Amino acid sequence: MAGSGSLKRNLGLWSIVGLGLGYMTPTVVFDTFGIVSEGTNGAVPAAYLVALVVMVFTAISYGKMVRIFPTAGSAYTYTRETMTPGLGFLVGWTSLMDYLLLPMVNCLIIRLYMESMVPDAPPWVWVVAYTVIMTGIVLSSMRGTANINAILLVFSLVLMVTYCVLAIAQLNAGEGAGTVFSPEPFVHDGVEFSAVLTGATVVCFSFIGFDAVTMYTNEAKHVNIMPKAIMITVIAGGMIFLIASYFTQLLYPDNSQFTIVDDPLPEIGLLTGGPFFQLFFVAAAFAATVASGLASHASVSRMLLVMGRNGVLPRKAFGYINPRTHTPVFNIVLVGAVCLFAMSFSLELISAFINFGALIAFTFVNLTVIAHYAFRTRQVVDVRTAFKYVVMPGLGAILTGVLWVSLHATALIGGLVWLAIGVIYLAVLTRGFTRTVRSFDDPEADADMSEPEDTESDPVAAEKSAD
C-alpha cells in the first residue's frame, strides 16, 4: 500500500500479557461486586469460577487458531478464513461493538471518578482531557503504550495484594465470616445455579481482554509466543478475580454495609483499610481503568486495520499505517472520537451491550477450530484428535452460547440491532450479495502489514524461516 508503513514487531511475551491484563482491568472485580453479590445471593467467586472455566476452553481455541492464522483480526479473521468471508465480516462487525465501546466505558468511568472528586467542573472537560491524552499516547508507539500500561498495571496489582492482606487480617480478627477458609463464597443455602450462571454473564465482562491480545500478533517479536500469552492472560486474570472476590465475599457476606451497591469500590477501600487506604485504593482503580483504556484503544484500532486491509472498510483510511510511528493513525483517532460520547451515555447502558459482541466472538472462535480441523483440513482421524479438535471446542462453544442466551434483554436487543446494521452494510458493500467479500482482498496490502519476525534470537523461528 503506497505511502503506508508497517506494524513494528517489538512486543515480547510479558508485554503482551501485560496489555491483556491491563485490558481486563483487575479492579473491576470490586466495581461489580455489589451487583453480582446481590444477584447470586453472596456467591460472587462461584460466578467467576464458572466464567473462568468457560474462558479457559475458549482460550485453548484461540491458541490453536492464532498458530494457523498468525495475524491480527481475532474472531473476524478466523471465521473469515475457515467458514465464509461474509460470515467472518458479520462476526467481526458484531465484535466491533464491544471493542469500540470498551474504550468509551473506560473514559466514562474516569469521568465518574472525576465528577465525584471535582463536582463543580463540567463533565465534558474530563472526557475531552482523557480522550486527548489516551489518543496521543496510543498514536506515539505501541512500545510506549505497553510500557505505560505496565506501570499502571503493577501499581493497581500491588494495591490489590495490599487489600487482600488487610482483608485476611480483619477476617482473622473475627470480622465478616470470621475465617479465612470457607466454602461459603461458592456454596451455601440459597445459592441457585441459574443465578450463578446469570452472574457469570455479568463477570465475563471482566475477562474481555484475554482475546484482545491476538490483535497484537503482528507486533509480537515471535508469533509462537501468542498461544502462551493468551493462556497466561486468562489464567492470571481469572485467579486475580477469584482471589479478590473470595476474600471480599468472606469479609462482606452481603451488601448491608454498602450504601452504593452499584459500585462499592470506594466503600470497600474505606471499610477495609480506612480513609488513607481508600485514597490509594481508588487511585489503583483509576490506574487500572487508564491501563484498560490504553490497551483497549490500541486493540480495536488493530482490528479496524485488518478490516481496512481486507477492503471491507475503506482501505485508504482504515488500512493506513504511519511509517514513522508504526501505528494505524486514522483508526486510533476514530476510536478517540467514539470515546467523546462518554459525555452523555450511562455506564449501565453501554456495559449492557459489550458482552453481546464478546460472547458471539468467543462462540465462533470455538466453532472455527472444528471448521478448520474437522472439515477444512480433515485432521480428525481418531479419538485423540476428535477430543482435541471437536469435543473441546464444542464444549467451549456450548458454554459461551449458554452465557450468551442468559444475557440481559437490553443487551440482546441492542446487539441484534447492531448486527442488523452490519447485514445492511454488507448488502450494500456486495451490491445485494452479488459480489463476494473476498473480491475486495488486496494480498499485497495484507502481506506488508507487519515487519518480518526477528529470527536471529529465536532458533526455532529461524529454522522455519530458512525452510
Side-chain angles (χ1 to χ4, degrees):
M1 188 175 174
S4 181
S6 59
L7 298 176
K8 189 174 181 63
R9 288 193 176 278
N10 59 0
L11 296 180
L13 173 65
W14 295 109
S15 292
I16 294 173
V17 170
L19 285 164
L21 291 176
Y23 200 126
M24 292 169 78
T25 324
T27 56
V28 76
V29 63
F30 304 109
D31 291 305
T32 58
F33 180 83
I35 297 171
V36 181
S37 182
E38 188 173 290
T40 59
N41 193 24
V44 176
Y48 273 108
L49 183 60
V50 170
L52 176 59
V53 170
V54 175
M55 295 305 126
V56 166
F57 276 98
T58 303
I60 293 171
S61 292
Y62 269 103
K64 288 184 173 70
M65 297 314 294
V66 79
R67 288 182 186 275
I68 304 300
F69 304 105
T71 183
S74 194
Y76 159 70
T77 297
Y78 309 152
T79 308
R80 167 189 165 89
E81 300 299 333
T82 62
M83 296 181 178
T84 67
L87 182 59
F89 169 78
L90 292 177
V91 170
W93 177 267
T94 308
S95 301
L96 271 179
M97 184 168 67
D98 71 272
Y99 281 119
L100 278 171
L101 291 179
L102 196 58
M104 190 173 90
V105 163
N106 289 307
C107 181
L108 205 159
I109 292 173
I110 293 297
R111 189 201 86 194
L112 293 175
Y113 284 155
M114 296 308 296
E115 281 181 0
S116 65
M117 291 189 286
V118 191
D120 295 331
W124 66 264
V125 170
W126 309 120
V127 172
V128 171
Y130 170 89
T131 300
V132 170
I133 294 171
M134 288 293 105
T135 304
I137 293 172
V138 179
L139 275 173
S140 63
S141 73
M142 195 61 233
R143 167 55 60 187
T145 300
N147 289 341
I148 295 173
N149 170 83
I151 294 169
L152 296 172
L153 178 64
V154 168
F155 174 66
S156 60
L157 290 178
V158 167
L159 265 294
M160 289 185 73
V161 170
T162 305
Y163 162 79
C164 289
V165 171
L166 291 173
I168 291 171
Q170 289 202 12
L171 288 167
N172 284 328
E175 297 290 331
T179 179
V180 175
F181 303 103
S182 172
E184 291 287 309
F186 296 95
V187 181
H188 60 262
D189 292 338
V191 175
E192 298 179 359
F193 183 71
S194 60
V196 171
L197 194 61
T198 302
T201 67
V202 177
V203 302
C204 75
F205 165 78
S206 307
F207 285 88
I208 297 174
F210 86 85
D211 65 309
V213 301
T214 60
M215 298 298 177
Y216 309 121
T217 303
N218 291 91
E219 289 154 288
K221 289 180 179 178
H222 314 295
V223 170
N224 59 333
I225 68 175
M226 292 308 299
K228 186 183 294 185
I230 293 167
M231 188 55 69
I232 291 175
T233 300
V234 73
I235 294 294
M239 293 309 298
I240 290 169
F241 295 138
L242 265 177
I243 294 170
S245 63
Y246 171 78
F247 287 123
T248 306
Q249 194 71 81
L250 282 177
L251 195 55
Y252 308 106
D254 54 50
N255 290 334
S256 59
Q257 297 187 62
F258 306 139
T259 56
I260 304 175
V261 174
D262 287 350
D263 188 354
L265 183 146
E267 286 186 275
I268 289 174
L270 177 64
L271 294 169
T272 307
F276 185 71
F277 177 74
Q278 181 192 35
L279 179 65
F280 282 95
F281 200 54
V282 173
F286 192 99
T289 304
V290 172
S292 178
L294 284 170
S296 59
H297 199 135
S299 178
V300 66
S301 67
R302 270 69 182 169
M303 183 171 183
L304 291 169
L305 172 67
V306 174
M307 296 180 81
R309 288 294 174 105
N310 290 156
V312 293
L313 293 176
R315 185 177 282 114
K316 187 174 182 180
F318 288 91
Y320 175 75
I321 300 172
N322 185 289
R324 185 175 61 83
T325 62
H326 302 282
T327 55
V329 174
F330 176 83
N331 303 340
I332 293 169
V333 173
L334 176 64
V335 176
V338 172
C339 288
L340 294 176
F341 286 97
M343 294 180 194
S344 54
F345 281 92
S346 70
L347 182 60
E348 182 180 5
L349 177 64
I350 299 304
S351 299
F353 297 137
I354 289 178
N355 283 341
F356 180 94
L359 289 172
I360 288 287
F362 295 166
T363 301
F364 271 91
V365 168
N366 284 299
L367 293 177
T368 59
V369 174
I370 300 173
H372 177 78
Y373 287 98
F375 298 102
R376 196 163 173 261
T377 60
R378 301 185 183 280
Q379 294 185 46
V380 177
V381 294
D382 52 30
V383 174
R384 184 186 68 83
T385 52
F387 179 78
K388 188 176 180 180
Y389 299 130
V390 177
V391 175
M392 289 286 284
L395 285 171
I398 291 169
L399 291 171
T400 51
V402 168
L403 290 183
W404 185 80
V405 298
S406 301
L407 285 171
H408 192 278
T410 304
L412 289 172
I413 294 170
L416 290 172
V417 169
W418 176 258
L419 177 59
I421 295 171
V423 172
I424 294 170
Y425 174 79
L426 183 61
V428 173
L429 183 71
T430 58
R431 298 174 186 172
F433 304 107
T434 59
R435 298 178 64 184
T436 66
V437 174
R438 186 73 71 182
S439 67
F440 297 96
D441 283 4
D442 181 355
E444 203 173 303
D446 290 340
D448 70 356
M449 191 165 74
S450 61
E451 295 178 338
E453 287 191 62
D454 174 13
T455 57
E456 291 183 9
S457 57
D458 186 350
V460 176
E463 184 179 341
K464 289 182 179 179
S465 178
D467 292 340

